Amino acid sequence: MDSPAHADGVAPNPKFYQDGDHPLTQGFWRERDLSDRLRIIGSALEKLKQRMDNQGYLTKKPEDFSVEDWDNYLKIFEECSGKSFNELFECSDCKPTNPVKELTDAHYGKEQFESMGELKLKKPEGCSGNDVITLAIPGNLHHREVNLVALKKFTNREKRPHKTKEGLKELLDSLFAHTVNPDPSTLKMARIYDAFLCPQNSLSLMMEGANTFDIYDYLATSSAADAVKACGQYLARFHLGNRNVKEVVTDEYIRHKAEAFNKLSDNSLADGGIELLSRAGAYHPDIQEVTAENIIKLLSEEKQKKLEFLVDDNRDTFERNCGEIFRSLNKDSWFYFLTKTHGDAHGNNFFYSDARDLARNGAIISADSFYRVSMIDFASIIRTCNGIGDPAEDVGRFLGSLWKWAARTPNQQLTAYDRIHGLQEAFWESYFGLITQEAIIREADRERFQQILTENANFYKLRYYKAIFNSPPEKESKEAKVKLLKFWLKEHKGVDLPVHDLRDMPSRDRPWEKVTERVIHNRLPKKVEKFIESGSTRSNQQSYLTRLWKKFNTFGLGQATLSSTIGTLATTGMGGIGKSSLASQYAHEALNYNGYHLIYWLLSETDSSLLEGYQELAGAIGISVQSAFGQEKNDKKMIQDNILEIVKNIESKEFSEKDKWLLVYDNVPNPEFLKGKVPQKANINVLVTSRWSQGWGLDPMNLDLFSAEEAVQYLSRVINLNKDNEDNRPQVEKLTELAEKLGHFPLALSHAAHYLKFLGGKAVSREIINDYIQKLPPYPFNPQKMDYESLIGKTFEISKEKFSVLAKELIACCAYLNPDNIMEDFFVYGLQDKNEEEIRKAFELLRSLSLIKSGEGDSFLVHRTRTLR
């Protein structure tokens, strides 16, 4: 496979690998560069990289490729290399009629290694689900084996018919990644030497076997601290060598974050509609199949409450930090650097040598030196497009892997919390030490840089844990998962829950009864961030949320099963007072605690919107209905008749008497609207939100403004200010003044708070708050003399000062659309004269100012009380 003659006249690559004199490069590999067939690829590498980048294939994961993507990928490869895939990689030792062989029978050229002595075949763990073997020879250092060659096989299967093409992508991505090694003579990356189709339907990659052992092998030894420090130096040098600050385009940074975590205003820990650790409930030690969704229930209720707070705080901190980094990219006074990242930097992918005689230029290399580290499985580096990765991603994953090792290792002494925490601190000392030594961060900014990097690494660590929690039991045991989660809680043992998070704990004031293992539900509005349990500081000492729960679950409203009556509870009040937010909070809490068999949110402003919701509900419970919309979509009588027909079917559907439903009718125009349109079944709780306060039969719960205390609490929470800290008294005094000027009106407070957060980032000063106050009318708000729509108009006008021209156009267009479900793509594809990135950026601006709120998927919502001027 590595013949002296150069195939097809392709000249040898001028030392594609430049690590020949690296102390970890074995003699066997010092004499070899790319194989002949890879020289052909190497000669077209830059062209390949450019073509793949233009098509978006560099940053795309294999699982996201369509059939057309794979066909196009292969076409680009063959055009650039001048050879067909099969022709280039076909193994000459295989006959076309041969049956599929096991990997150990592949023709990997044993004759090349005969001079190395006795070979041993090993099959390591991990390897991303692909078959891997390692050829090893006995070592003379500490009687250990020396890994020589690793073979990784990609085999087409019925469910994965493009596996060989995935192997081709990994091969190319690995070759591309080698070109971004900032210093091959000091940072060792394992080589990809050859690739071949052997057997016929499998592509095998021949890689340099790391002649050392991965980090996990050393964590139980006296070399643990040195190995971890060496990895800290290695990552720091890799990040510094690939850093990118001045050349980063801010739009690219936002796009990078959007592609990785949906949008910054969404829950960045969400994936596929499942929020990490969101479903708290009663303690259930009997859970066997542990996932990220239910692992929280293996904790005590007290720890569940703390964990929920920590996860939310972790996400919010990450979002704030990203915003601060984003703002710094527009200034010359940047304090943080972005870089290419490894992308999969865990303990299995870093190898360390503890050889006592390892030397460079005649001098023994210190035990904690990066020269002792070799990196493998680095194809994902190339997905860091344009050098805009966060170094914290690599750090968080690496540190998380240390705790993962501790969680799955039974030796209590080796895995003691203090020992692993000490290794983590050793890593940080090594990493930050090298960053400081290189002096790329100004001395005045170092403390802030370290804080943000540490906080972001904690976020990425938690994302890494989420993948572990979702691992099948044969890969990660229940005990290991729980131990890992408890380690994370212990890392944050010094974080106390704020007083407002301890008040009205659902387990005490709202003792939900679990009625089912699985709740049928539709796309509820996103859970309200920074929700304030208002109402509890007035004459009634219970919050609105607790009073709402008691009306349904204590006083029997909606539960009169014998008489088949419906308990209809209405929350009424002017627009922007928080009716939908309260209803959403109740629905989400009911979902978290499995308090109903079915929970459905129905937009009810018009007959058409209600009909759409009913059609979806009918499908969810197995009632077959034809689309009620046809050519007569504007026929109001036809729409009403269809609503009545679906309601009748729901009423006749056989359900258990114990099945408990919650139907939320949002923004109902008046009591007459729902007559005859609500199922008349037992055990259905109906929750209505409406601005109409009369004629509901039962006394509606009329929501009031925030109290002065609640208003300041809300403002403080949004801008992340600890109002109980004496040092923050000047800001709190100004927030109190601002709240009074805004009449404690929730929607106006939301506009103001997010404007302050947008302007001040993580440190909103007294001056910034005072500047906002000066923009308001000089007199305090008086509800007797001024309508709330005018007040919202004023706060909206202040927010518009930060609008781009495009943002103004977009928010104006929204006034003519259904405010509950506006698709962002409608503008992206409808405004042909506008750039997509500019449109996305404008929407991010509107979200950050709380003028639109994210809905499901690509949709968003606009409050009906928006006043456009």
Side-chain angles (χ1 to χ4, degrees):
M1 289 185 295
D2 187 28
S3 59
H6 304 309
D8 301 296
V10 178
N13 190 320
K15 279 311 254 186
F16 182 81
Y17 301 114
Q18 301 171 39
D19 60 351
D21 60 346
H22 193 282
L24 296 184
T25 301
Q26 301 170 56
F28 175 82
W29 292 106
R30 292 182 197 280
E31 303 168 5
R32 289 165 174 78
D33 195 57
L34 297 174
S35 66
D36 281 345
R37 72 182 91 222
L38 294 197
R39 285 195 182 95
I40 295 174
I41 299 175
S43 65
L45 203 60
E46 285 304 314
K47 185 178 180 181
L48 268 168
K49 188 176 179 181
Q50 185 63 46
R51 290 281 300 276
M52 298 302 184
D53 192 21
N54 290 341
Q55 294 292 321
Y57 293 146
L58 289 187
T59 56
K60 206 170 188 178
K61 296 181 179 179
E63 56 265 30
D64 297 327
F65 272 51
S66 64
V67 175
E68 292 74 20
D69 284 333
W70 282 124
D71 290 343
N72 193 39
Y73 190 87
L74 196 58
K75 181 181 178 182
I76 292 173
F77 169 76
E78 293 180 344
E79 287 176 356
C80 291
S81 66
K83 291 273 191 177
S84 73
F85 177 70
N86 288 344
E87 179 187 7
L88 183 60
F89 293 108
E90 185 177 26
C91 175
S92 59
D93 293 335
C94 286
K95 296 180 180 179
T97 57
N98 276 3
V100 175
K101 300 180 179 181
E102 293 297 324
L103 182 60
T104 52
D105 293 329
H107 297 112
Y108 50 79
K110 288 184 180 179
E111 67 281 357
Q112 297 186 70
F113 313 115
E114 288 177 353
S115 62
M116 305 299 292
E118 180 185 355
L119 293 176
K120 181 178 179 180
L121 297 175
K122 301 191 302 181
K123 190 166 185 177
E125 296 180 4
C127 311
S128 307
N130 294 290
D131 291 328
V132 173
I133 63 166
T134 302
L135 283 77
I137 60 175
N140 56 6
L141 297 174
H142 312 300
H143 306 290
R144 289 177 171 174
E145 298 161 348
V146 175
N147 296 329
L148 183 64
V149 173
L151 288 173
K152 190 171 184 178
K153 183 177 76 170
F154 295 80
T155 304
N156 290 336
R157 300 183 178 91
E158 183 177 351
K159 293 184 179 180
R160 299 290 293 273
H162 303 288
K163 258 299 188 179
T164 55
K165 295 172 187 174
E166 290 182 27
L168 174 63
K169 177 168 172 55
E170 179 159 326
L171 168 66
L172 295 182
D173 286 353
S174 298
L175 294 177
F176 293 150
H178 265 289
T179 66
V180 303
N181 187 343
D183 190 357
S185 64
T186 59
L187 296 180
K188 185 75 176 77
M189 293 167 60
R191 305 176 181 203
I192 305 290
Y193 174 68
D194 205 352
F196 46 92
L197 285 167
C198 174
Q200 290 291 312
N201 65 340
S202 298
L203 181 68
S204 296
L205 306 186
M206 178 186 285
M207 299 172 284
E208 175 182 7
N211 63 346
T212 49
F213 291 80
D214 71 40
I215 298 306
Y216 291 153
D217 287 310
Y218 290 96
L219 293 182
T221 72
S222 59
S223 299
D226 287 331
V228 168
K229 288 179 181 179
C231 288
Q233 282 194 33
Y234 187 101
L235 278 177
R237 285 196 172 272
F238 183 82
H239 291 157
L240 289 173
N242 286 292
R243 71 183 185 275
N244 188 342
V245 178
K246 298 270 186 174
E247 297 177 5
V248 173
V249 179
T250 53
D251 287 349
E252 289 181 345
Y253 176 73
I254 287 295
R255 183 175 61 189
H256 167 68
K257 291 299 176 187
E259 288 172 350
F261 317 110
N262 298 318
K263 293 182 174 63
L264 289 178
S265 56
D266 293 346
N267 182 350
S268 301
L269 295 175
D271 182 15
I274 299 174
E275 294 185 358
L276 174 63
L277 310 171
S278 65
R279 296 176 181 270
Y283 173 52
H284 288 292
D286 54 332
I287 294 174
Q288 294 302 317
E289 192 168 339
V290 178
T291 65
E293 186 178 3
N294 64 23
I295 191 172
I296 190 172
K297 296 182 182 180
L298 295 172
L299 302 174
S300 66
E301 291 189 15
E302 181 181 354
K303 287 185 176 179
Q304 287 185 33
K305 186 68 178 176
K306 183 166 185 177
L307 183 60
E308 283 189 309
F309 168 75
L310 290 174
V311 170
D312 286 341
D313 185 63
N314 180 274
R315 177 205 62 203
D316 293 343
T317 299
F318 175 77
E319 182 178 344
R320 289 196 309 271
N321 290 344
C322 289
E324 190 168 346
I325 294 169
F326 172 75
R327 284 188 292 272
S328 75
L329 296 177
N330 292 310
K331 304 175 183 178
D332 292 331
S333 57
W334 55 268
F335 66 95
Y336 198 87
F337 71 87
L338 303 174
T339 179
K340 290 187 182 297
T341 57
H342 182 285
D344 198 18
H346 55 73
N348 283 128
N349 287 337
F350 286 84
F351 281 63
Y352 173 82
S353 172
D354 64 347
R356 296 170 186 170
D357 58 352
L358 191 66
R360 178 176 175 81
N361 297 329
I364 298 297
I365 297 172
S366 64
D368 60 357
S369 170
F370 58 89
Y371 280 113
R372 293 180 173 272
V373 176
S374 177
M375 180 168 66
I376 68 167
D377 202 11
F378 41 75
S380 55
I381 290 174
I382 205 63
R383 296 196 193 117
T384 311
C385 188
N386 297 325
I388 54 174
D390 189 340
E393 181 174 3
D394 284 343
V395 173
R397 184 171 285 250
F398 182 85
L399 294 177
S401 71
L402 300 184
W403 292 103
K404 182 183 80 168
W405 175 85
R408 55 161 55 163
T409 303
N411 188 311
Q412 297 295 322
Q413 184 176 357
L414 292 174
T415 62
Y417 173 84
D418 289 342
R419 182 174 185 271
I420 306 303
H421 187 265
L423 293 177
Q424 181 171 270
E425 291 301 304
F427 176 93
W428 279 123
E429 180 183 356
S430 178
Y431 185 91
F432 284 133
L434 192 54
I435 300 292
T436 302
Q437 179 182 322
E438 294 295 318
I440 68 158
I441 303 295
R442 286 181 293 268
E443 187 173 355
D445 295 326
R446 286 175 189 168
E447 183 177 350
R448 185 71 187 120
F449 166 76
Q450 291 189 19
Q451 179 182 356
I452 285 191
L453 186 69
T454 304
E455 290 171 345
N456 282 11
N458 199 32
F459 169 83
Y460 286 110
K461 183 195 290 185
L462 193 58
R463 285 190 71 240
Y464 177 59
Y465 289 171
K466 178 181 178 180
I468 296 172
F469 297 150
N470 285 327
S471 297
E474 61 270 17
K475 191 172 182 180
E476 297 292 346
S477 69
K478 170 183 174 179
E479 292 72 23
K481 293 177 181 179
V482 174
K483 189 176 180 181
L484 182 63
L485 182 57
K486 289 182 176 180
F487 274 145
W488 194 78
L489 277 172
K490 193 167 184 178
E491 280 194 84
H492 299 83
K493 62 183 177 181
V495 179
D496 294 324
L497 281 173
V499 175
H500 57 70
D501 281 306
L502 291 172
R503 188 187 66 189
D504 287 337
M505 289 179 64
S507 59
R508 184 180 70 244
D509 291 344
R510 298 185 290 279
W512 287 93
E513 178 186 357
K514 180 179 178 180
V515 299
T516 181
E517 291 296 332
R518 177 178 175 270
V519 181
I520 299 173
H521 64 94
N522 66 338
R523 297 179 176 180
L524 297 176
K526 289 187 178 296
K527 195 173 182 179
V528 179
E529 293 188 12
K530 315 297 184 184
F531 181 79
I532 296 290
E533 282 203 38
S534 61
S536 60
T537 59
R538 297 176 175 77
S539 57
N540 190 326
Q541 293 301 306
Q542 294 177 332
S543 70
Y544 287 133
L545 188 58
T546 296
R547 279 184 264 168
L548 179 58
W549 183 90
K550 287 191 173 182
K551 282 179 179 289
F552 276 142
N553 298 279
T554 300
F555 303 143
L557 294 180
Q559 299 182 31
T561 56
L562 293 178
S563 63
S564 299
T565 59
I566 304 172
T568 302
L569 195 57
T571 60
T572 66
M574 67 189 76
I577 200 68
K579 303 179 299 297
S580 296
S581 295
L582 177 61
S584 172
Q585 188 73 11
Y586 179 82
H588 274 284
E589 190 170 295
L591 178 62
N592 286 344
Y593 288 89
N594 293 27
Y596 292 90
H597 294 83
L598 179 143
I599 301 174
Y600 243 68
W601 188 279
L602 299 159
L603 300 176
S604 307
E605 190 170 17
T606 65
D607 282 322
S608 296
S609 60
L610 179 59
L611 176 58
E612 288 183 14
Y614 270 148
Q615 285 183 305
E616 185 182 343
L617 170 59
I621 62 176
I623 297 176
S624 178
V625 294
Q626 294 182 345
S627 176
F629 292 125
Q631 294 181 347
E632 306 297 327
K633 186 170 182 178
N634 295 322
D635 187 329
K636 185 174 182 179
K637 185 178 185 306
M638 185 202 74
I639 292 175
Q640 290 179 340
D641 289 345
N642 276 288
I643 291 176
L644 295 176
E645 183 64 26
I646 293 177
V647 169
K648 183 178 178 181
N649 285 331
I650 291 176
E651 292 171 356
S652 63
K653 183 79 175 176
E654 291 296 326
F655 287 98
S656 166
E657 291 183 359
K658 295 182 180 180
D659 283 351
K660 188 178 177 183
W661 287 17
L662 172 66
L663 300 181
V664 184
Y665 294 83
D666 188 37
N667 205 43
V668 175
N670 55 66
E672 295 296 320
F673 176 82
L674 287 180
K675 284 190 174 179
K677 301 174 186 175
V678 177
Q680 300 295 308
K681 290 183 67 65
N683 268 351
I684 295 184
N685 288 173
V686 175
L687 177 55
V688 174
T689 72
S690 177
R691 298 188 189 186
W692 198 284
S693 60
Q694 303 296 324
W696 293 102
L698 297 171
D699 290 336
M701 180 184 289
N702 288 300
L703 304 191
D704 202 350
L705 304 170
F706 280 164
S707 67
E709 178 186 350
E710 291 164 349
V712 174
Q713 182 184 12
Y714 174 76
L715 291 171
S716 301
R717 196 180 294 189
V718 172
I719 67 173
N720 300 293
L721 181 78
N722 183 355
K723 67 183 183 66
D724 298 321
N725 188 327
E726 188 66 24
D727 294 338
N728 295 330
R729 177 177 289 186
Q731 292 99 308
V732 173
E733 290 175 350
K734 281 298 173 182
L735 289 180
T736 303
E737 182 181 349
L738 173 60
E740 183 180 357
K741 285 229 172 188
L742 295 178
H744 307 146
F745 185 46
L747 184 57
L749 292 168
S750 175
H751 285 177
H754 286 84
Y755 179 93
L756 296 175
K757 179 182 177 183
F758 176 83
L759 214 59
K762 196 164 185 175
V764 178
S765 65
R766 178 185 184 280
E767 289 69 30
I768 291 177
I769 303 171
N770 189 62
D771 287 345
Y772 190 94
I773 293 173
Q774 299 308 312
K775 298 175 186 291
L776 295 170
Y779 45 84
F781 179 79
N782 187 338
Q784 304 299 322
K785 298 180 180 180
M786 181 179 177
D787 65 278
Y788 284 94
E789 278 73 12
S790 297
L791 175 63
I792 294 303
K794 183 59 183 175
T795 57
F796 184 79
E797 285 295 321
I798 295 175
S799 297
K800 280 176 65 177
E801 295 175 5
K802 299 301 177 184
F803 281 16
S804 62
V805 174
L806 180 56
K808 291 179 181 178
E809 294 177 3
L810 294 177
I811 198 68
C813 290
C814 291
Y816 300 96
L817 301 175
N818 174 11
D820 292 310
N821 187 28
I822 303 175
M823 301 303 296
E824 196 168 307
D825 282 347
F826 171 80
F827 297 91
V828 171
Y829 298 112
L831 301 177
Q832 298 293 332
D833 59 328
K834 305 295 183 184
N835 180 277
E836 177 180 351
E837 292 183 16
E838 293 177 351
I839 295 175
R840 301 285 189 195
K841 186 176 179 180
F843 278 124
E844 282 301 316
L845 174 62
L846 295 173
R847 284 188 182 88
S848 66
L849 291 168
S850 193
L851 299 178
I852 64 174
K853 295 185 181 298
S854 295
E856 287 296 327
D858 195 41
S859 68
F860 61 88
L861 302 83
V862 179
H863 202 281
R864 291 169 176 79
T865 316
R866 293 283 179 264
T867 302
L868 303 177
R869 299 186 178 185

